[in-house]
Amino acid sequence: MAGKQATLDAADAVQPDNGGSKSARTRQRILDAAAKVFREEGYAGARLADIAAAADTKAGSLYYYFASREALVEEVLDEGLDRAFGETRRRVDALSADTPTIDRLATAIRAHLETVLKLDNYTSASIRMLGHVPEPIRARHMKRQAVYGAYWRELLEAAGAAGELRDGLDLSAARMLLLGMLNWSPEWYRRGRLSPEEIADQAAAMALGGLRK
Amino acid sequence: MAGKQATLDAADAVQPDNGGSKSARTRQRILDAAAKVFREEGYAGARLADIAAAADTKAGSLYYYFASREALVEEVLDEGLDRAFGETRRRVDALSADTPTIDRLATAIRAHLETVLKLDNYTSASIRMLGHVPEPIRARHMKRQAVYGAYWRELLEAAGAAGELRDGLDLSAARMLLLGMLNWSPEWYRRGRLSPEEIADQAAAMALGGLRK
DNA sequence: GGTGTTTTCTAATTTGAATTAGAAAATACT
DNA sequence: AGTATTTTCTAATTCAAATTAGAAAACACC
């Protein structure tokens, strides 16, 4: 056996065994393939045989690394959340301490959306699949996701407390509508006329215009 | 056999055979149940046995009215689109001819979102399922949906031509982002603190604030 | 109240995909 | 080179649902 839960925290730079052993690399290759196929086909449409083919192996071999299809799904979901949250927080934290709250919000919007639009398979797959996954998996994931939701709530509340938001705005509704605007994008975005950055600019301008005083 | 394609246009008030015969009513009951279960469980999660139970019948009996699970899916998709488009156009058309284009847009936003949030099972199911449905069905539906997309494009272009929109706005991106804001709502909305109308107001204010000059 | 027709049910059957078992192949270690 | 260990493959097996067949029940019409 080789499988281990791969919790990709900052912590795993310590134990340099991730891209390390061949086994670990194969596991990663399968997970990457799963993310890709789940993003493209959705939860129901992705068969283990498709995932195996994308990872250049056979369906039966997946079980050497993952206990079940659902285990694979769950790990893709979690990794997708970690990537969106990680990238968003990283870019917001990189702002200087005196950055106005409204600009922090703009940065978060761009970071989240660019992560999705750059076809990060994990994040896109995670967003698309969550509502279609079996209940126990969804429940577990939503608990983890709540942390990211709280992060957005804080961003909005900080902007509100700084008096930068329009009067009459309901922060809960605004948060869900805003995240919806971003999260629906995997359904329509295809490489095309506008780059991810350009679309992210449009989204940030649109959202801030709608939120700010 | 009783099945017929039930294209619910305004036209079918003419032939008064829809809520009419018992057979037609049973068929409708099954379709309603399917819409409900598809909305709740998603495309993959909804089993024919669930749909049958919700329609107070047995799985085998569904085949008397529908050729297959996919036929049922497709009819729910189409009906959902018709309802959203129908309600939106109806409310926009009810505006007086001299209504500013920006207010037409606001009305469309409210109409579309209220249709979804009032838990219209067909519309919500349609929005949620589209990306997860087998390719031939999706392709056919997208062709029909393009008409509704064009309707939104026209609303936006009219507002743009009237000089009511912000400079630098990309209308295609704005349209997808706006519809995303609305279409993601079935993923999070639950009867709760805010009514559909209140949320629709928030969405309209937010969207217009982001779009208008 | 009997006969034909429509509708519904139950009990197979089919299908498609996940999963498991166990043999083979590759790899690592001495 | 020889043995043990890890990894992968193929070929069942299992499982969950959709679908079909055909018997029963309900209904309509005479």
Side-chain angles (χ1 to χ4, degrees):
Chain A
M1 94 202 69
K4 281 269 190 145
Q5 286 300 349
T7 38
L8 297 194
D9 287 314
D12 57 29
V14 181
Q15 269 277 347
D17 183 351
N18 210 277
S21 65
K22 171 138 174 283
S23 181
R25 269 180 289 116
T26 302
R27 188 180 196 281
Q28 191 62 47
R29 184 159 41 80
I30 291 170
L31 206 52
D32 289 349
K36 175 177 152 69
V37 176
F38 279 128
R39 170 178 72 76
E40 289 171 350
E41 309 296 336
Y43 172 70
R47 287 164 303 171
L48 286 188
D50 299 335
I51 293 172
D56 195 30
T57 181
K58 298 299 164 66
S61 307
L62 303 183
Y63 287 85
Y64 185 73
Y65 296 97
F66 298 91
S68 66
R69 183 177 190 270
E70 298 199 347
L72 205 42
V73 168
E74 193 153 5
E75 209 164 316
V76 170
L77 283 178
D78 289 351
E79 174 68 14
L81 173 59
D82 287 351
R83 289 192 182 196
F85 194 1
E87 176 68 3
T88 300
R89 187 161 48 185
R90 192 183 66 70
R91 283 173 57 177
V92 170
D93 286 353
L95 298 170
S96 76
D98 62 339
T99 305
T101 55
I102 196 85
D103 293 331
R104 304 177 88 75
L105 189 54
T107 298
I109 291 169
R110 283 202 195 86
H112 180 101
L113 189 52
E114 282 173 22
T115 302
V116 174
L117 295 181
K118 283 179 175 156
L119 299 188
D120 179 301
N121 290 327
Y122 289 91
T123 299
S124 304
S126 183
I127 289 171
R128 290 197 65 198
M129 283 197 297
L130 181 55
H132 297 260
V133 127
E135 181 47 30
I137 296 181
R138 174 162 56 234
R140 274 195 295 281
H141 188 76
M142 298 253 291
K143 203 182 293 188
R144 298 194 71 210
Q145 201 185 35
V147 179
Y148 191 35
Y151 181 78
W152 280 92
R153 190 188 346 265
E154 285 159 20
L155 284 173
L156 281 164
E157 282 174 353
E164 307 194 82
L165 300 186
R166 184 161 50 70
D167 296 331
L169 195 67
D170 182 276
L171 288 190
S172 295
R175 178 167 59 95
M176 298 316 286
L177 290 165
L178 168 58
L179 285 172
M181 180 166 105
L182 308 182
N183 283 342
W184 187 252
S185 66
E187 301 293 338
W188 56 266
Y189 177 71
R190 299 291 171 272
R191 250 178 260 277
R193 208 167 44 81
L194 296 185
S195 68
E197 287 80 2
E198 287 169 323
I199 292 176
D201 284 345
Q202 291 285 327
M206 200 169 141
L208 293 189
L211 297 172
R212 80 187 323 162
K213 188 168 272 181
Chain B
M1 92 200 76
K4 282 272 190 142
Q5 285 299 348
T7 38
L8 298 195
D9 285 313
D12 56 32
V14 182
Q15 270 276 347
D17 184 351
N18 210 277
S21 65
K22 170 138 174 286
S23 181
R25 270 181 289 117
T26 302
R27 187 180 197 281
Q28 192 62 48
R29 184 159 42 81
I30 292 169
L31 207 51
D32 288 349
K36 174 177 153 69
V37 176
F38 279 129
R39 170 178 72 76
E40 290 171 350
E41 309 296 336
Y43 172 71
R47 286 164 305 170
L48 286 187
D50 299 335
I51 293 172
D56 195 30
T57 180
K58 298 299 163 67
S61 307
L62 302 183
Y63 288 85
Y64 185 72
Y65 296 97
F66 299 91
S68 67
R69 183 176 190 270
E70 299 200 347
L72 204 43
V73 167
E74 192 153 5
E75 209 165 317
V76 169
L77 283 179
D78 289 350
E79 174 67 14
L81 173 60
D82 287 351
R83 289 192 182 196
F85 194 1
E87 176 68 3
T88 299
R89 186 161 47 185
R90 192 184 65 70
R91 283 174 57 178
V92 170
D93 287 352
L95 298 170
S96 76
D98 62 340
T99 305
T101 55
I102 196 85
D103 294 331
R104 304 177 87 76
L105 189 54
T107 297
I109 291 170
R110 285 202 194 85
H112 180 99
L113 188 52
E114 282 174 22
T115 302
V116 174
L117 294 181
K118 285 182 175 153
L119 299 187
D120 179 303
N121 290 328
Y122 288 91
T123 299
S124 304
S126 183
I127 288 171
R128 290 198 64 198
M129 283 196 298
L130 181 56
H132 297 261
V133 127
E135 181 47 31
I137 296 181
R138 174 163 56 236
R140 274 196 296 281
H141 187 77
M142 299 253 291
K143 203 184 292 188
R144 298 194 71 211
Q145 200 185 36
V147 179
Y148 190 36
Y151 181 78
W152 280 92
R153 188 185 352 263
E154 284 159 21
L155 284 173
L156 281 163
E157 282 175 353
E164 308 194 81
L165 300 186
R166 182 161 51 71
D167 296 329
L169 194 68
D170 181 276
L171 288 190
S172 295
R175 177 167 59 95
M176 298 316 285
L177 291 165
L178 168 57
L179 285 172
M181 181 166 106
L182 309 182
N183 284 342
W184 188 252
S185 65
E187 301 292 338
W188 55 266
Y189 177 71
R190 299 292 172 269
R191 249 179 261 278
R193 208 167 44 82
L194 296 185
S195 68
E197 288 81 0
E198 288 169 323
I199 292 176
D201 285 344
Q202 291 284 328
M206 198 168 143
L208 293 190
L211 296 171
R212 81 186 323 160
K213 190 169 270 179

